[in-house]
């Protein structure tokens, strides 16, 4: 392995000498005044080139990245805050035992009269009578916004009486 390193070092020396020899010859061909001027130009030009060519663009890219990160964080916060509404749930966990009380309160808030509430393993069955379809739609949407799923809904009309049977679950 050390033989490979020796060969690699020799090839590097050859490559550097191919580039450096013409530069060295050109340097030696310059007058002393030109050599001094070129040295001063290099002394001041190289830092300016590094600052304006590398450092300033990297600062600009960093500030843009920071701005994009702030925008992404604000978007993430907005999404997290609005996620319950986007999913149609309030984020509050509700149990099946709490559901009848929630449904009764929501029906009263929406101006509906609940005729019957039954709880079984599949959910809570709510029977509403003498209701308007728009009121029932509002009730179901408000339930959905609270995280209550509508499993089944049956609408019937017996003469002038409307009856709605809804199976709801959490």
């Amino acid at each position: 392995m050390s033989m490979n390193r020796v060969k690699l070092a020799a090839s590097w020396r050859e490559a550097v000498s191919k580039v450096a020899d013409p530069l060295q010859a050109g340097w030696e061909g310059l007058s002393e005044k030109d050599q001094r001027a070129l040295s001063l130009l290099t002394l001041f030009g190289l830092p300016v080139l590094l600052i304006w060519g590398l450092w300033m663009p990297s600062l600009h890219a960093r500030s843009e990245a920071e701005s994009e990160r702030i925008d992404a964080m604000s978007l993430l916060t907005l999404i997290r805050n609005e996620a319950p509404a986007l999913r149609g749930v309030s984020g509050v966990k509700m149990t099946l035992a709490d559901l009848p009380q929630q449904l009764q309160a929501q029906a009263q808030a929406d101006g509906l009269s609940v005729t019957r509430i039954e709880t079984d393993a599949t959910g809570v069955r709510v029977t509403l009578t003498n209701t308007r379809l728009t009121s029932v739609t509002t009730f179901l949407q408000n339930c959905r916004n609270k995280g209550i799923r509508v499993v089944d809904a049956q609408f019937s009309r017996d003469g002038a009486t409307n009856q709605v049977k809804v199976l709801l679950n959490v």
Side-chain angles (χ1 to χ4, degrees), residues 13-75:
R13 273 189 230 118
E14 286 179 31
V16 169
S17 70
K18 283 182 183 177
V19 173
D21 288 344
L23 290 175
Q24 181 70 28
W27 179 261
E28 290 172 356
L30 294 174
S31 68
E32 188 176 316
K33 187 176 181 180
D34 288 342
Q35 286 179 355
R36 198 174 323 121
L38 192 54
S39 295
L40 287 173
L41 181 63
T42 303
L43 182 67
F44 292 109
L46 188 60
V48 168
L49 180 67
L50 289 175
I51 289 172
W52 292 106
L54 297 175
W55 191 49
M56 294 302 283
S58 68
L59 284 179
H60 180 68
R62 183 176 184 259
S63 68
E64 283 184 6
E66 181 66 21
S67 174
E68 288 179 13
R69 186 190 70 80
I70 290 170
D71 290 346
M73 293 302 292
S74 66
L75 179 61

Side-chain angles (χ1 to χ4, degrees), residues 8 11 17 20 50 60 68 102 118 123 129 132 135 141 145 153:
L8 184 62
S11 67
S17 70
L50 289 175
H60 180 68
E68 288 179 13
Q102 290 288 331
E118 299 173 345
T129 55
R132 294 182 5 193
S135 300
Q141 184 61 41
N145 290 340

Side-chain angles (χ1 to χ4, degrees), residues 142-156:
N142 289 335
C143 288
R144 183 177 175 269
N145 290 340
K146 291 183 176 184
I148 302 169
R149 291 183 299 123
V150 178
V151 179
D152 185 35
Q154 297 175 358
F155 299 89
S156 63

